[in-house]
Amino acid sequence: VKTAGRTAFDIIDQLAEDPNAKSITFSMLREGENDLPGEGEAWDVLLARSFIEVKDPITYKLDVRNDGSNTKVGYVRIKEFNGLVKSKLTDALVDLEKQGANAYVLDLRGNPGGAFQSAVEIAGLFLDDRVATYVVDNNDIQMPFRTTKGKAVVDSKDPMVIWLDKGSASASEVLAAALHDNCRATIMGETSFGKGLIQAVYGLKNGAGLVVTVAKYITPNGNVIQGTGITPDIPTGLPIIPGFTGDTSKVNFQDVMDI
């Protein structure tokens, strides 16, 4: 198939026509200076297709405190917002609830983001029918994105802390702001990265691509994420442990509830 006059996006669509193919053969033609159109050196290149497995982005555990407070902390880390995040997080929260969790730490450190809609859906596991974020276009028109109604898994009375650092970006910031601005969670750690733009990719006739910023995210309280990030309520250093294993022992949930 000739590629002349076709965009990179057209080629990608063709490669995806047979998703079960184990390999793809490219027929190459190199025309020399003295060759007529269609003449020249031809050869085939066989490329093996590799499929990236979507991994479970959730790790979680229950920390039971032995200080007489009867606090059972459900620690949940979200590594990224991929196609499995909502279902796996729902399973984790349901399991933690069965184990008696009555306080939560949501660890978004080092999470670069991912699917924006996933952040809104996840917010609905903690918030009932609330504005999670606003999308503002270049005409300054605001479009609210609300959480679902009646889908919350965690009791609204259970205190909740979100851990952020400078590596928390995009969908992580949308989720953190949704829970924070609706008075559902307190934020600890560092100011987040500050990526709050929505960009579209367009294919050009010459085969190049153009990335255009078409909108931006605004938090429920009207704060801009882009270039600013999410500022923690409690600026503090968080436990640095290989694998981001969460040590929640220093989180004072009484202080959290008083904020």
Side-chain angles (χ1 to χ4, degrees):
V1 177
K2 294 183 179 181
T3 59
R6 307 179 71 212
T7 69
F9 301 97
D10 293 332
I11 304 302
I12 291 173
D13 287 340
Q14 182 182 353
L15 296 181
E17 286 179 355
D18 184 1
N20 297 317
K22 302 299 183 181
S23 62
I24 297 175
T25 300
F26 289 87
S27 295
M28 315 294 288
L29 177 66
R30 179 185 293 123
E31 294 181 355
E33 293 182 1
N34 300 321
D35 291 327
L36 296 174
E39 296 181 343
E41 179 187 2
W43 73 100
D44 290 340
V45 176
L46 180 66
L47 297 179
R49 297 185 71 179
S50 62
F51 298 88
I52 300 175
E53 180 183 359
V54 179
K55 296 182 179 180
D56 185 351
I58 304 297
T59 54
Y60 71 98
K61 65 177 181 175
L62 184 74
D63 288 335
V64 180
R65 296 190 175 177
N66 298 316
D67 56 3
S69 65
N70 194 36
T71 302
K72 298 180 180 180
V73 183
Y75 167 83
V76 183
R77 184 188 173 212
I78 303 178
K79 298 178 183 177
E80 63 176 332
F81 291 84
N82 61 24
L84 297 178
V85 65
K86 184 188 177 185
S87 62
K88 295 298 184 180
L89 178 58
T90 301
D91 292 343
L93 293 176
V94 169
D95 186 31
L96 289 168
E97 285 288 300
K98 289 180 179 179
Q99 295 183 61
N102 53 21
Y104 284 87
V105 171
L106 187 61
D107 191 349
L108 299 177
R109 293 176 298 165
N111 185 326
F116 154 75
Q117 190 60 37
S118 294
V120 177
E121 293 174 350
I122 288 172
L125 301 177
F126 304 94
L127 294 169
D128 188 27
D129 192 23
R130 298 288 188 89
V131 173
T133 193
Y134 294 97
V135 171
V136 183
D137 65 15
N138 59 353
N139 294 315
D140 206 29
I141 297 176
Q142 293 188 358
M143 178 182 298
F145 282 78
R146 304 186 69 89
T147 63
T148 52
K149 187 175 182 179
K151 300 293 185 179
V153 175
V154 175
D155 192 323
S156 61
K157 296 179 181 178
D158 291 345
M160 184 176 178
V161 168
I162 297 174
W163 285 354
L164 296 180
D165 66 7
K166 59 185 177 182
S168 308
S170 190
S172 292
E173 296 172 292
V174 170
L175 175 58
L179 298 178
H180 175 268
D181 287 7
N182 282 290
C183 301
R184 184 61 189 88
T186 299
I187 296 177
M188 294 179 63
E190 303 172 342
T191 299
S192 61
F193 183 84
K195 184 181 185 302
L197 298 180
I198 301 173
Q199 297 174 315
V201 180
Y202 298 94
L204 304 180
K205 289 184 178 180
N206 64 357
L210 178 66
V211 180
V212 179
T213 298
V214 295
K216 60 184 177 182
Y217 300 122
I218 302 293
T219 74
N221 282 350
N223 297 316
V224 175
I225 295 175
Q226 178 64 25
T228 303
I230 307 299
T231 303
D233 300 298
I234 306 175
T236 184
L238 295 172
I240 303 176
I241 301 175
F244 283 92
T245 301
D247 177 8
T248 65
S249 61
K250 293 184 179 181
V251 178
N252 188 324
F253 285 98
Q254 186 58 53
D255 290 345
V256 167
M257 290 186 289
D258 291 340
I259 292 178

